[in-house]
Amino acid sequence: MSNDSASIISASQPVTLGDRLRGIAKELRQETDTQIKATSRILGAAAQMAQNHDQLIGEVVEMVKEDLDQMEQSKPPSAYAVPDLKQEFKTLKAAKAHFGIKATSWDALATKLNEANGVPISIETEVPNATPSQVLERLDRIELEIMSLQQSMEQVLGLLQEIAKQR
């Protein structure tokens, strides 16, 4: 039966209890369908958010691994310190004989050993190999991912608000 014929019949006949129940059942089915669609959209958005989140975490982990690898590769050889040399060797003569270096003091020996190994004078001032532009580029990529996640969250919130309004 089409809507036109139903309206003609309903205009000529009083609404029965069965008609009212059918109308309520129809409204419940429509509301259930709407809720199913909204829930489906929410679950899809949540899945996308989880995927984006996992991808972002993976990228950050990869960046940290790269940085650690770069630091390890560029790590200067260990520096020789006078107290360490004195602890390892009983005498300056024994230390000089071991390394085959001529020196007049423990300080001179440590300096010559460090120079021979290419150790910078101050290891504390070591700077990671990443250039500022590389760091900024990585931060920009992370920021874009975060903005994408925010948009997904806003979509989910919008859908939840729609569902709340329908109830």
Side-chain angles (χ1 to χ4, degrees), residues 77-101:
S78 58
Y80 290 96
V82 173
D84 296 336
L85 290 171
K86 283 182 177 180
Q87 186 176 6
E88 189 175 342
F89 302 100
K90 298 202 186 283
T91 64
L92 178 62
K93 185 177 181 179
K96 292 189 301 184
H98 175 76
F99 293 110
I101 295 177

Side-chain angles (χ1 to χ4, degrees), residues 62-72 128 130 138:
E62 192 63 35
M63 287 177 8
V64 169
K65 283 181 181 178
E66 288 173 7
D67 288 347
L68 289 174
D69 288 345
Q70 282 182 353
M71 286 180 66
E72 193 170 299
R138 285 182 175 178

Side-chain angles (χ1 to χ4, degrees), residues 99-136:
F99 293 110
I101 295 177
K102 294 181 181 180
T104 57
S105 68
W106 287 103
D107 289 328
L109 178 64
T111 302
K112 287 183 179 182
L113 286 170
N114 289 333
E115 286 174 358
N117 287 330
V119 176
I121 294 172
S122 175
I123 294 176
E124 294 78 33
T125 60
E126 178 183 340
V127 178
N129 285 343
T131 64
S133 63
Q134 289 173 327
V135 172
L136 291 175

Side-chain angles (χ1 to χ4, degrees), residues 5 24 27 31 46 48 58 70 73 89 103 115 118 138-139 159:
S5 61
I24 291 171
E27 286 179 30
E31 190 173 313
Q48 183 65 43
Q70 282 182 353
Q73 290 172 356
F89 302 100
E115 286 174 358
R138 285 182 175 178
L139 289 175
L159 291 171

